[in-house]
Amino acid sequence: MEEGWHVDIATKDAAPTVGKYGVPLPMDKTARPLIGYTDLDVEDYDAVILTGGHEAPDRVRQDRSVLDFIRAMDSAGKVVAGLCHGPWIMVSAGVLKGRKACAYIGLRDDIVNAGADVVDGDVVVDHHIITSSYYAYAGKFMRAVFDTVAQLNSRMEVA
């Protein structure tokens, strides 16, 4: 939001939720309403950011509408970015095959088995697919997301 982006937070059925460490969504009365997984439309977004944590990505990757959205974002050449355990959702969506990616140590085998070329690194950008191996690199990760979206949008303006 500090970069001037319009941000939506998607949850199952747009239902309010409380995270593992007690952080509620929406965060307060000034926050935007949540959006449901089934309401996500590729035309409305330049990027999807798949956050980490151990439990949430495992639950999210079981939702067919999320996986369809991730595949559609990939097919449209829009940024699909996963932080820490977030790439687990990318594995289930099947968007890592033939890509370069980095991986949190606990996901390395899954990402290799998904067909990615796993390299050591804090953040790896392979065209519009972005992975980050650990939440401590969130700053580098978000900078890569901002820069990649800007590059892709400038290419679209030229075309």
Side-chain angles (χ1 to χ4, degrees):
M1 292 171 65
E2 292 169 357
E3 293 284 324
W5 282 27
H6 165 91
V7 177
D8 286 330
I9 299 174
T11 62
K12 187 175 183 96
D13 302 321
T17 189
V18 175
K20 181 177 179 179
Y21 297 108
V23 177
L25 289 176
M27 293 182 77
D28 62 33
K29 65 182 179 181
T30 66
R32 297 171 49 86
L34 302 172
I35 185 169
Y37 296 154
T38 58
D39 295 321
L40 294 169
D41 184 340
V42 172
E43 297 301 316
D44 295 336
Y45 300 99
D46 292 319
V48 58
I49 297 171
L50 306 167
T51 58
H54 181 256
E55 204 171 322
D58 191 35
R59 289 183 184 183
V60 171
R61 72 191 190 126
Q62 296 175 45
D63 191 293
R64 183 68 38 210
S65 58
V66 170
L67 301 181
D68 290 343
F69 177 70
I70 300 303
R71 282 190 286 270
M73 289 289 287
D74 176 50
S75 293
K78 296 188 176 188
V79 170
V80 178
L83 174 66
C84 201
H85 276 77
W88 228 355
I89 303 165
M90 299 161 83
V91 166
S92 294
V95 300
L96 291 177
K97 187 172 185 169
R99 306 279 186 177
K100 253 189 205 334
C102 60
Y104 176 73
I105 190 66
L107 297 183
R108 187 176 189 89
D109 291 344
D110 294 329
I111 293 176
V112 166
N113 289 334
D117 175 16
V118 177
V119 297
D120 287 331
D122 300 346
V123 177
V124 172
V125 178
D126 185 343
H127 188 59
H128 63 277
I129 300 292
I130 303 171
T131 51
S132 182
S133 58
Y134 195 56
Y135 72 89
Y137 310 128
K140 290 180 188 179
F141 171 74
M142 287 308 302
R143 180 53 41 210
V145 171
F146 297 141
D147 292 347
T148 303
V149 168
Q151 289 170 4
L152 292 173
N153 284 342
S154 69
R155 287 183 195 151
M156 293 298 288
E157 289 172 10
V158 171

